[in-house]
Amino acid sequence: MSAPRLRARKLDLKTGKVDLSHGAGGRAMAQLIGEIFAENFANDLLAQGNDQAVFSVPPGRLAMTTDGYVVSPLFFPGGNIGSLAVHGTVNDLAMAGARPLHLSASFILEEGFPLADLARIAESMGAAAREAGVKIVTGDTKVVERGKADGVFISTAGIGVVPDGLDLSGDKARPGDVILVSGTIGDHGVAIMSSRENLQFETQILSDSAALNGLVADMVAACGESLRLLRDPTRGGLAATLNEIARQSNIGVRIEEDALPVKPEVAAACELLGLDPLNVANEGKLIAFVAPEAAEKLLRVMREHPLGKDAAIIGACVDDPHHFVQMRTSFGGGRIVDWLSGEQLPRIC
């Protein structure tokens, strides 16, 4: 009679904690990867178990991006650091008009971090990847001593394919081009701040974190030849993004305050916190610069998509050697929309 086979005890996902052995390369690390990451990210390339992923690439030009996520708190209304990491990486690729294909994910874990929270993060990350139509195909895990990190940090990279003939870039805007935003601004930053400071409002403010590649695909299909550029206004908000593009394209920007879509509860929270919605981060919105003759068509296409239902035309590009971003206010006056000075909302993503 053969000796009974010992079965490894499964991870304690109720009360268990990350310890240093989970990053040491032994059995504990293999179990952590298998029961948390491989379980939630499951796909054919990851299942090969190699230190890299090898795959074929469709025709077109490759786009690549990388990002790091240190958001605090890790869980916030409308998402968590895991879903945010997928959405942010997918969106960076989508802003080039790329079809995102694959992601990598690297985790820096702090000793003592609850395994239940790690499993929850990995589960939401896998769900976000499947919803966006991408695969997390390779990754890495490290554990640092207690007090040397803040729970978990995530680094990602992503690749996608840009169709031949499409060239979206921050230096392509021209005087006369029309500027559109895909929806309400400031949602993510206010959701993070209210959660961090334990602020309660009558209506809960949710992060707008979402993958925009589906919306972008519709926009490119309808108006690709007329699109100049796309950008997601994350850290620094709409103000920083418009100033970046004005300098890249050597143009000025004029926007209308009354045209900016801002939820009443977000506007109220910004007033309470002393924030300007123009400077507050977004994680599920984009701005588009398009030739004027295609602006109305693009607006219709965006509004037909769930993530663009609140899209609006907010302004236009002008000839300005100083590259100023200016806004006509609700009172009929004007003001310069400048870069954010200092750190308004640290660790927003």
Side-chain angles (χ1 to χ4, degrees):
M1 180 182 295
S2 60
R5 186 175 180 181
L6 295 178
R7 299 180 64 182
R9 180 181 299 175
K10 293 181 71 66
L11 289 174
D12 179 1
L13 297 183
K14 290 186 177 180
T15 62
K17 308 284 186 182
V18 172
D19 62 46
L20 293 176
S21 69
H22 288 129
R27 188 185 302 274
M29 180 174 172
Q31 185 178 25
L32 181 81
I33 292 171
E35 294 185 24
I36 291 185
F37 298 124
E39 178 80 15
N40 287 289
F41 302 165
N43 61 74
D44 54 338
L45 293 174
L46 188 64
Q48 294 174 5
N50 296 321
D51 288 339
Q52 72 294 118
V54 179
F55 45 84
S56 300
V57 180
R61 293 168 295 139
L62 283 179
M64 181 177 181
T65 188
T66 187
D67 214 338
Y69 297 87
V70 298
V71 65
S72 176
L74 297 174
F75 300 91
F76 48 84
N80 62 56
I81 190 173
S83 56
L84 179 65
V86 171
H87 293 157
T89 310
V90 166
N91 291 347
D92 282 348
L93 293 169
M95 294 309 104
R99 178 167 68 90
L101 297 175
H102 304 312
L103 309 182
S104 71
S106 175
F107 295 81
I108 306 296
L109 308 176
E110 182 183 10
E111 179 187 15
F113 187 67
L115 289 174
D117 286 350
L118 183 60
R120 183 179 166 194
I121 289 168
E123 181 180 7
S124 67
M125 209 168 172
R130 288 187 292 274
E131 186 177 358
V134 299
K135 297 177 180 179
I136 301 172
V137 297
T138 189
D140 186 49
T141 306
K142 297 290 192 300
V143 179
V144 298
E145 299 89 341
R146 192 184 305 267
K148 297 294 180 67
D150 192 6
V152 57
F153 298 147
I154 302 176
S155 295
T156 58
I159 69 159
V161 175
V162 181
D164 290 332
L166 184 66
D167 185 16
L168 306 179
S169 176
D171 61 354
K172 300 294 185 183
R174 308 170 190 172
D177 286 348
V178 176
I179 306 168
L180 298 88
V181 65
S182 63
T184 55
I185 62 172
D187 299 359
H188 176 73
V190 172
I192 294 293
M193 181 58 75
S194 61
S195 181
R196 186 181 298 169
E197 302 299 331
N198 198 27
L199 300 176
Q200 301 294 325
F201 301 100
E202 288 187 7
T203 303
Q204 187 180 37
I205 299 172
L206 302 178
S207 168
D208 61 349
S209 181
L212 296 169
N213 52 318
L215 172 61
V216 170
D218 289 352
M219 295 166 65
V220 169
C223 302
E225 293 183 356
S226 300
L227 279 173
R228 311 293 195 210
L229 67 100
L230 304 173
R231 193 71 62 87
D232 54 337
T234 53
R235 284 173 295 173
L238 189 63
T241 303
L242 291 176
N243 275 282
E244 288 174 3
I245 294 168
R247 293 198 177 192
Q248 280 184 269
S249 292
N250 295 312
I251 47 97
V253 169
R254 302 290 184 271
I255 60 175
E256 301 286 334
E257 184 174 27
D258 286 340
L260 296 173
V262 183
K263 292 177 180 175
E265 57 267 33
V266 170
C270 284
E271 185 173 358
L272 176 67
L273 297 168
L275 304 175
D276 184 341
L278 285 168
N279 297 129
V280 178
N282 311 272
E283 288 292 345
K285 301 297 188 305
L286 62 80
I287 58 174
F289 286 63
V290 65
E293 63 272 13
E296 290 296 335
K297 178 181 179 181
L298 183 62
L299 181 63
R300 289 195 302 272
V301 170
M302 293 171 71
R303 286 179 172 174
E304 289 171 358
H305 192 281
L307 295 178
K309 60 184 177 63
D310 296 317
I313 293 174
I314 62 169
C317 302
V318 298
D319 190 6
D320 181 356
H322 302 293
H323 314 146
F324 286 151
V325 177
Q326 301 184 53
M327 181 171 71
R328 186 166 68 177
T329 68
S330 300
F331 300 103
R335 74 174 177 95
I336 297 292
V337 177
D338 205 353
W339 300 80
L340 178 64
S341 178
E343 180 57 89
Q344 187 183 56
L345 295 173
R347 295 182 60 179
I348 206 72
C349 60

